[in-house]
Amino acid sequence: MIYNKKAETMPRQEIEELQLARLKKIIRYCYDNVAMYRKRFDENKLDPDKFRTLSDLQYIPPTTKDDMRDNYPFGLFAVPQKEIVRIHASSGTTGKPTVVGYTKKDLDTWSELMARIISAAGVTDEDIAQICFGYGLFTGALGLHYGLERIGASVVPSSSGNSEKQIMLMKDFGTTTLIATPTYAMYLGELAHELGYDLADFKLRIGLFGSEGCTTEMRSKIEERLGLFATDNYGMSELMGPGISGECELRCGLHIAEDHFLPEIVDPNTLEAKEEGEVGELIITTLTKEGIPLLRYRTRDLTRINKEPCECGRTLARMDKVMGRSDDMLKIKGVNVFPSQIESVLMPMEEISPHYMLYIRREGYNDNLEIEVELVDGSLLERYADLENLTKRIRAKLRSVLGLDAKVTLVQPKKIQRFAGKAQRVVDLRGESK
């Protein structure tokens, strides 16, 4: 279902005309109300009233997460504090969080954009939606919460953790829509099976997953385990939270809310624009945010954009599922490796579970990668020949995909940590003393 037909099916020319009008307005707004932008424009001799085309945006220096931390906590707010009605912050585990503020209008816009994504996935006012994101400073839970209420769905704000109770509520309440990280959704399915539940005990039909990357292979396993249809959505606390883009039921790319966000794809090293359809780093300018507008924010996420209309009827540009982050790329023995590549290799193998960890160590002058993978059947550890054969198959497949020989360690079921929030699968041990 298309929630806002006028906004989501505009002809390409109208989209770009609207973007340009809003871009001119937001540039002047940032210059007048945010000291950092005013200083940056003046230092680079940029006139906020001289931007004539969308491509002129390239002359504005990008905004980074460091800029937000340098202005912690409220230095980038563009309105007086009394106009900020909500404050959220990033879920970063180190250093100062990135803080964002919302005006009443910002919250209304956010609810509208979440309603679009939720509707695109097939959720309606007939659904009961259980939100298993952690509530609090994290934007995910409340973003989905308000969007679901906007379309009239019944919301169960169960938050994260207390997994056995989550499963009980899913069954007893007749939950039809599950909101969680992909990792936690997989764990809930696994735990439900262990507790003796059957798929027939649940009414789940749609999964709205986000907050972390999820390969197509992982998603297929989640769908099989929980008996639902899963879609991805994309967001970032600094830009608003979830709601920037999301998949429709055709799952052929995530529709970007182009009337509120202006996306660019650039080379992550040179920041030069990539040709349409090429992979690069996603940079986003907020076009309508009042509380904390951002010009050319570097997401560090790698994707590509397709501006062809979708068969669902939407004309908004679509971005591919994020392939990785430019700052999360692992460089092992001169080879660039993204964790998502490893996941795509592991997931189709029936003998191993969806749980794995990546350990990077330095031996002498060389970096080595160890992939710890959990077995489905622990008895395999006692059958040396079968264990060795599986290890060789995994290493060979990884070598063909990555061009890199990695150590593979198979471990017994339940050994690897489960995550209720974002999974932390990469452990970099290169800084440890020998």
Side-chain angles (χ1 to χ4, degrees):
M1 184 182 83
I2 299 179
Y3 180 78
N4 186 334
K5 192 165 186 178
K6 180 180 179 181
E8 297 179 71
T9 63
M10 281 190 290
R12 172 55 44 188
Q13 183 176 342
E14 288 184 25
I15 292 174
E16 294 182 358
E17 288 173 353
L18 178 61
Q19 287 179 322
L20 182 57
R22 288 182 168 176
L23 177 63
K24 290 178 179 179
K25 184 177 179 181
I26 203 70
I27 288 174
R28 167 47 76 175
Y29 180 75
C30 286
Y31 184 84
D32 289 343
N33 296 284
V34 182
M36 184 195 78
Y37 283 124
R38 185 162 54 254
K39 180 181 178 183
R40 189 162 288 180
F41 271 57
D42 291 346
E43 288 177 344
N44 289 275
K45 295 180 170 54
L46 296 174
D47 185 336
D49 297 317
K50 291 293 179 67
F51 288 80
R52 300 283 184 255
T53 67
L54 293 176
S55 62
D56 286 345
L57 191 61
Q58 65 183 303
Y59 301 114
I60 300 176
T63 304
T64 66
K65 182 166 286 196
D66 285 340
D67 290 324
M68 300 194 73
R69 287 176 173 154
D70 290 345
N71 288 278
Y72 174 89
F74 306 141
L76 295 183
F77 285 11
V79 298
Q81 190 65 44
K82 66 179 182 179
E83 294 182 31
I84 297 292
V85 298
R86 175 94 63 80
I87 294 174
H88 279 286
S90 70
S91 54
T93 55
T94 60
K96 297 286 189 181
T98 53
V99 179
V100 291
Y102 301 77
T103 64
K104 288 182 180 180
K105 183 174 181 294
D106 288 335
L107 290 182
D108 186 62
T109 299
W110 192 11
S111 298
E112 150 82 16
L113 298 186
M114 287 311 310
R116 293 187 197 179
I117 287 173
I118 292 163
S119 298
V123 182
T124 72
D125 57 5
E126 305 255 336
D127 283 292
I128 299 173
Q130 187 165 330
I131 300 177
C132 299
F133 282 145
Y135 280 71
L137 290 176
F138 172 57
T139 55
L142 284 169
L144 270 296
H145 187 124
Y146 278 76
L148 287 159
E149 287 186 342
R150 175 72 70 98
I151 70 165
S154 300
V155 180
V156 182
S158 58
S159 194
S160 59
N162 204 350
S163 302
E164 291 191 17
K165 185 175 182 180
Q166 298 273 16
I167 295 167
M168 179 191 76
L169 294 180
M170 263 191 273
K171 176 180 181 295
D172 294 348
F173 289 5
T175 298
T176 60
T177 301
L178 176 65
I179 292 92
T181 63
T183 303
Y184 193 49
M186 175 58 77
Y187 175 59
L188 289 175
E190 182 181 75
L191 181 60
H193 178 72
E194 291 174 7
L195 294 173
Y197 289 93
D198 188 86
L199 281 180
D201 293 326
F202 303 103
K203 296 181 179 179
L204 289 171
R205 68 184 197 90
I206 293 176
L208 287 166
F209 302 138
S211 186
E212 66 181 13
C214 179
T215 61
T216 302
E217 293 81 4
M218 170 69 96
R219 181 165 67 184
S220 295
K221 280 188 174 288
I222 297 171
E223 290 180 323
E224 181 181 357
R225 176 76 73 173
L226 289 171
L228 49 70
F229 176 83
T231 64
D232 291 340
N233 58 81
Y234 175 82
M236 187 167 282
S237 296
E238 297 88 329
L239 295 167
M240 184 175 69
I244 294 170
S245 66
E247 288 181 309
C248 65
E249 293 172 280
L250 299 180
R251 298 197 302 198
C252 53
L254 286 74
H255 294 275
I256 304 171
E258 287 188 279
D259 49 334
H260 293 275
F261 302 100
L262 180 57
E264 304 171 69
I265 298 293
V266 303
D267 183 298
N269 298 312
T270 66
L271 298 183
E272 292 182 359
K274 302 286 274 185
E275 294 294 327
E276 187 172 328
E278 289 187 324
V279 173
E281 180 182 333
L282 177 66
I283 286 183
I284 289 183
T285 294
T286 64
L287 296 175
T288 58
K289 279 188 70 177
E290 293 181 337
I292 180 167
L294 294 178
L295 302 177
R296 303 197 74 213
Y297 186 73
R298 292 193 66 175
T299 69
R300 300 287 182 176
D301 290 323
L302 300 175
T303 184
R304 61 184 171 188
I305 290 178
N306 176 8
K307 292 184 179 178
E308 291 297 316
C310 179
E311 290 184 14
C312 73
R314 293 174 178 83
T315 54
L316 301 172
R318 288 166 285 154
M319 57 182 276
D320 283 2
K321 287 165 63 71
V322 171
M323 302 166 190
R325 289 178 56 82
S326 60
D327 54 357
D328 279 354
M329 182 180 71
L330 311 175
K331 193 151 190 171
I332 312 294
K333 296 178 181 177
V335 178
N336 297 334
V337 178
F338 289 102
S340 59
Q341 293 175 293
I342 297 171
E343 183 175 293
S344 68
V345 170
L346 300 176
M347 289 306 103
M349 297 188 173
E350 295 181 358
E351 301 95 330
I352 57 179
S353 82
H355 306 288
Y356 63 93
M357 293 292 293
L358 310 179
Y359 296 94
I360 309 169
R361 297 181 176 87
R362 179 161 291 155
E363 298 175 6
Y365 295 101
N366 291 321
D367 292 337
N368 294 301
L369 173 64
E370 177 186 1
I371 303 171
E372 188 177 81
V373 187
E374 193 175 275
L375 292 165
V376 171
D377 180 4
S379 68
L380 189 63
L381 292 169
E382 301 171 5
R383 306 197 304 272
Y384 180 76
D386 291 340
L387 188 69
E388 185 178 36
N389 181 56
L390 176 57
T391 301
K392 286 181 178 178
R393 280 200 292 123
I394 296 173
R395 290 183 67 179
K397 184 65 174 175
L398 287 166
R399 192 160 46 241
S400 69
V401 172
L402 305 179
L404 175 74
D405 193 22
K407 179 182 178 182
V408 174
T409 302
L410 300 174
V411 300
Q412 62 189 2
K414 307 300 175 194
K415 182 183 177 187
I416 293 176
Q417 179 184 354
R418 273 42 171 176
F419 300 91
K422 288 185 180 182
Q424 304 294 325
R425 299 196 186 281
V426 180
V427 180
D428 193 338
L429 302 173
R430 286 175 290 190
E432 292 191 354
S433 58
K434 302 295 185 226

